Amino acid sequence: KSSFLDYSETDKKISKDSIDALNISHLVKHSVNSLSSGEQQLLSIASALAGGSKTIIFDEPTANLDPFNSKLIANHIKQLKNSHQVILITNDLHLASYFDTPVLFIAKQQAHFYEDNSTFFDKAVLEKLYGVAFDTLAVKYE
């Protein structure tokens, strides 16, 4: 918007719709600095929705979040996949395994593409790519 102009009714509706989509109307009376990191992440997603882009890039969206807020963010991202192109950049294998989408793994200046993410999440593949032993991906977001 132009400087010194108030928000239009359309602007206000877009904001309200974004807030309602994430069920965060209880946060509107708070300053950003008073919100938890999970609440701030939800606010960031609402801001991206208000921008109207059909593509949303998430870079480590669950970093520093507790398991409850990680699950909340994961569920919102999964819902957004129905209406937006979602690109998820993460080192969180639990989060990545929650989505049934192709995986592009990048390490040591090499990219490995897995059309079927179940191939990527095979124990032997993970151990080869990461160079560590894996037992299981224990956290469940559902």
Side-chain angles (χ1 to χ4, degrees):
K1 75 177 186 68
S2 299
S3 299
F4 305 109
L5 294 179
D6 199 7
Y7 291 100
S8 70
E9 290 306 313
T10 302
D11 293 331
K12 291 175 185 176
K13 181 176 180 353
I14 290 169
S15 294
K16 183 180 181 331
D17 290 348
S18 297
I19 289 165
D20 290 347
L22 297 174
N23 196 26
I24 58 171
S25 61
H26 60 286
L27 302 179
V28 298
K29 301 280 187 210
H30 299 276
S31 71
V32 173
N33 293 337
S34 70
L35 301 177
S36 71
S37 56
E39 291 168 333
Q40 288 179 9
Q41 188 63 278
L42 287 170
L43 183 63
S44 294
I45 294 171
S47 179
L49 291 175
S53 175
K54 286 295 179 187
T55 301
I56 301 176
I57 300 172
F58 292 96
D59 187 5
E60 298 294 352
T62 58
N64 302 316
L65 297 184
D66 60 68
F68 176 83
N69 281 310
S70 292
K71 177 182 175 180
L72 187 66
I73 297 299
N75 286 330
H76 282 300
I77 293 172
K78 195 168 201 175
Q79 288 176 346
L80 287 172
K81 284 179 46 190
N82 296 326
S83 57
H84 294 76
Q85 175 67 43
V86 172
I87 299 170
L88 176 67
I89 302 165
T90 188
N91 288 301
D92 182 346
L93 292 176
H94 299 108
L95 177 64
S97 67
Y98 180 60
F99 301 100
D100 186 25
T101 58
V103 173
L104 179 64
F105 179 86
I106 301 171
K108 299 177 185 173
Q109 300 179 338
Q110 290 189 347
H112 306 272
F113 182 71
Y114 298 87
E115 181 73 35
D116 177 8
N117 77 352
S118 65
T119 303
F120 174 77
F121 289 104
D122 177 78
K123 181 179 183 251
V125 171
L126 289 174
E127 288 177 350
K128 180 181 176 194
L129 291 171
Y130 284 97
V132 296
F134 282 83
D135 282 333
T136 182
L137 295 174
V139 175
K140 301 291 184 197
Y141 284 118
E142 297 184 280

